[in-house]
Amino acid sequence: LWPRANPAFVRYAIATEAGGMKKLELPDGSVVRMNSDTAVSVDLTANERRVDLQRGEAHFTVAKDSSRPFVVSAAGVSVRAVGTAFNVSLKRTSLEVYVNEGKVKVEEKSRSGSTPAQSVDVNSVLEAGHKIVVDLKPVPITKPMATVVPVAPPEAEQTLAWQAKQLEFDDRPLREIVAEFNRYNQHQLVIADDALGRRTFGGTFRADDYATLVELLERRFDVIAERSGQQTTLRVRTRR
């Protein structure tokens, strides 16, 4: 355990680039795995272990220490654990927390001058096999902003597949698939047709292998790929 006799804290500030991943082993025995394009700051003190997820996605395996809670903060929401494992993904319009071991407490953290996330119950406890999705889009304060749902094993595997540098999709809109690939690659995919972006696909790919996805779309789904420098534009083939 972290030596309580020494109140001095340890601080980390770490970021990953697009396509990069890092594993951070903390002095208390906890492990933070950071996904592509992720930034975190970590403060360890004699009384608390705190992580601020500034962007991206990270998985936390927390060493048990009931006297020093482990708290992850992101977008005005805190996730509090003692000994557990969970995944936090901060997206443009939502925050997702999935627990694969143990349980965590999800609550609104104090933010000066901010609007509270009223629907995030301060007593919400998230158990293993469940996730909470917090809507970060501006909405009337009376509208529900958070939903807790069970996660089936196939979805759980997809949620954590990034740790093996894999992307798994099951009946997902192409615009979401492309957004995931773009997180991991300097070469960016662009969808030129809204209808194409709404079409759903599935499959398992290496996170850095966007070329296989593009080839599959060209060969089997009547898609034209126009390559130019660090960008590939996808559009539906026009029939004559």
Side-chain angles (χ1 to χ4, degrees), residues 195-240:
L196 177 59
R198 293 192 297 269
R199 289 175 61 183
T200 57
F201 300 88
T204 300
F205 304 87
R206 290 202 326 268
D208 61 353
D209 189 14
Y210 66 88
T212 294
L213 172 67
V214 173
E215 181 183 353
L216 181 67
L217 293 171
E218 288 182 297
R219 189 174 68 250
R220 297 183 55 187
F221 297 100
D222 216 20
V223 170
I224 294 177
E226 300 172 347
R227 300 166 178 82
S228 177
Q230 288 289 78
Q231 178 175 302
T232 296
T233 301
L234 305 173
R235 65 178 74 253
V236 177
R237 186 185 303 277
T238 302
R239 295 184 178 277
R240 296 179 179 179

Side-chain angles (χ1 to χ4, degrees), residues 64-137:
K64 292 184 179 180
D65 186 346
S66 59
S67 66
R68 290 194 310 140
F70 192 104
V71 181
V72 177
S73 298
V77 175
S78 69
V79 183
R80 182 178 297 264
V82 175
T84 186
F86 59 99
N87 197 80
V88 182
S89 178
L90 178 57
K91 302 180 180 180
R92 187 173 61 86
T93 59
S94 66
L95 173 71
E96 295 187 10
V97 180
Y98 165 67
V99 180
N100 56 303
E101 291 182 17
K103 59 184 178 181
V104 302
K105 184 177 182 180
V106 180
E107 58 190 349
E108 178 212 358
K109 70 172 185 174
S110 177
R111 292 178 294 166
S112 176
S114 63
T115 301
Q118 294 285 343
S119 63
V120 182
D121 188 342
V122 295
N123 295 315
S124 294
V125 175
L126 200 62
E127 298 184 343
H130 291 75
K131 72 175 179 179
I132 188 169
V133 181
V134 182
D135 188 351
L136 301 179
K137 297 190 299 292

